[in-house]
Amino acid sequence: MTLQQMESVRVKRAGEIFLGAARHVPADKAHWKPHTNATSAHEIVQHLAWANHFFAAIIQGQTPPAADKDPQVP
């Protein structure tokens, strides 16, 4: 197994674990923030999804999506 394949499996498994945890967030709490400067569960999921696309593109030798597509990346 190549390094790219191993990393792909690792990222996929981490995504599955995270998605399983995110499914337990009640819909009415997905956009809730404990403070105005905090990040909501929805924003965290959005950021991690973007990051997975970013690294998947790199692993596949493609151009990764621009950081400005993710509102969480400064």
Side-chain angles (χ1 to χ4, degrees):
M1 181 179 282
T2 68
L3 180 60
Q4 288 90 348
Q5 290 169 326
M6 289 182 352
E7 185 62 10
S8 178
V9 169
R10 187 193 67 76
V11 168
K12 182 177 179 182
R13 181 66 185 129
E16 290 168 351
I17 291 168
F18 181 76
L19 183 58
R23 285 187 174 131
H24 291 285
V25 176
D28 64 328
K29 300 293 185 202
H31 294 278
W32 175 80
K33 295 180 181 186
H35 186 273
T36 56
N37 293 333
T39 305
S40 71
H42 179 267
E43 291 168 329
I44 293 169
V45 169
Q46 183 180 23
H47 176 77
L48 291 176
W50 175 87
N52 278 347
H53 285 289
F54 181 89
F55 289 110
I58 290 172
I59 290 168
Q60 295 172 15
Q62 301 171 355
T63 303
D68 64 356
K69 303 267 183 194
D70 179 4
Q72 299 303 309
V73 178

